[in-house]
Amino acid sequence: NTQNSESRGALIVLEGLDRCGKTSQSTRLVNYLNGIGHSVESWRFPDRNTGVGQMISSYLSNKSQLDDRAIHLLFSANRWEKRSLMEDELKRGTTLIVDRYSYSGVAFSSAKGLDIEWCKAPDIGLLAPDLVIYLDISPEEAAKRGGYGGERYEQREFQKKVALFYQKLQDPTWKIIDAKLEVEDVEKLIRDMVLDCILTCKKGKPILKLWA
Ligand code: NYM
């Protein structure tokens, strides 16, 4: 086994309002990293494939109603049920590009009026991302991008509140990119940040715990 404990993968999270371009940027990034020979996987939260994920999916598409705190805890549980698999992959040297994580969890639930510290609590101790890329777009600009879909939360006034709570969650692992730039320019900025982060992790940066 040539894999030493120091050559771990990086945990990289993309965050932003609905329609900020996260999903297409994460696809482009994963294709790029694959192409240059990196071991990389594309992840997303909510992961709608698990039992918990199916409850979340049904809530988001308005097929079921749930108490605000109950759905918040389901989103958190959906990350906890994947925690050890994520850690195994990182230790195996795989870089994970994750579309949404705990910051979405806290920003969306806080925007409904739940206390921000209460919202953070269940996610304390999850794996801390090595890099959070926030694709910054105004709710107005996001709404122009073909309009929102029919899922819960996809409304301009609500997204404004979400944006304010995202701001409160910024920490030194965050890098903010202007999502109004051309797709190719955003892509280039992301690549540079990500390659830098992968290198730092390879050199032995420890895996830390979130909000601990
Ligand atoms: N969302 C996502 C939350 O409210 N809490 C969470 O913990 C996460 C991960 O789900 N509007 C919200 C944000 C989105 C919605 O996400 C579904 P997506 O990326 O459209 O599948």
Side-chain angles (χ1 to χ4, degrees):
N1 183 8
T2 52
Q3 185 80 55
N4 69 45
S5 60
E6 292 193 349
S7 58
R8 71 164 177 99
L11 177 54
I12 296 169
V13 169
L14 275 84
E15 282 283 3
L17 297 181
D18 290 302
R19 306 207 123 262
C20 68
K22 267 182 300 77
T23 306
S24 60
Q25 286 295 343
S26 102
T27 306
R28 283 166 176 259
L29 177 61
V30 170
N31 290 341
Y32 167 74
L33 292 172
N34 260 321
I36 59 171
H38 281 278
S39 166
V40 61
E41 279 181 7
S42 170
W43 283 58
R44 73 177 308 143
F45 288 108
D47 178 336
R48 304 188 191 214
N49 299 312
T50 70
V52 172
Q54 281 164 23
M55 291 175 74
I56 293 172
S57 187
S58 139
Y59 171 83
L60 286 171
S61 57
N62 287 302
K63 291 192 189 100
S64 65
Q65 309 300 322
L66 281 168
D67 173 81
D68 289 344
R69 288 178 178 80
I71 182 65
H72 180 77
L73 295 172
L74 289 179
F75 274 113
S76 178
N78 189 229
R79 287 181 282 278
W80 279 105
E81 64 182 340
K82 294 288 167 180
R83 196 212 66 92
S84 66
L85 181 58
M86 292 174 87
E87 186 175 7
D88 292 347
E89 292 299 338
L90 292 173
K91 287 185 170 162
R92 200 174 290 156
T94 307
T95 284
L96 308 181
I97 307 299
V98 187
D99 189 341
R100 296 193 187 281
Y101 198 55
S102 304
Y103 312 95
S104 283
V106 175
F108 281 79
S109 290
S110 298
K112 291 169 158 177
L114 299 186
D115 177 69
I116 187 167
E117 295 306 323
W118 188 92
C119 290
K120 286 169 86 169
D123 278 31
I124 293 175
L126 283 172
L127 303 177
D130 297 296
L131 171 66
V132 178
I133 298 173
Y134 183 76
L135 296 184
D136 190 17
I137 194 165
S138 69
E140 287 75 19
E141 203 65 41
K144 274 190 222 156
R145 298 186 164 182
Y148 293 119
E151 281 206 331
R152 227 182 263 262
Y153 306 145
E154 298 185 351
Q155 299 164 22
R156 194 179 307 191
E157 286 312 307
F158 186 75
Q159 299 277 323
K160 271 189 198 165
K161 291 186 194 159
V162 174
L164 290 175
F165 284 101
Y166 266 129
Q167 274 183 26
K168 297 192 194 202
L169 294 172
Q170 287 175 25
D171 65 40
T173 63
W174 283 50
K175 296 257 192 284
I176 296 167
I177 295 181
D178 180 355
K180 288 201 305 306
L181 296 173
E182 294 298 324
V183 176
E184 291 75 15
D185 295 333
V186 173
E187 184 177 20
K188 178 75 176 62
L189 288 168
I190 292 179
R191 284 181 185 180
D192 291 345
M193 292 169 182
V194 164
L195 290 173
D196 194 57
C197 175
I198 290 176
L199 196 63
T200 313
C201 293
K202 237 181 208 162
K203 286 180 184 161
K205 178 180 181 249
I207 301 176
L208 300 176
K209 287 181 175 173
L210 187 65
W211 297 327

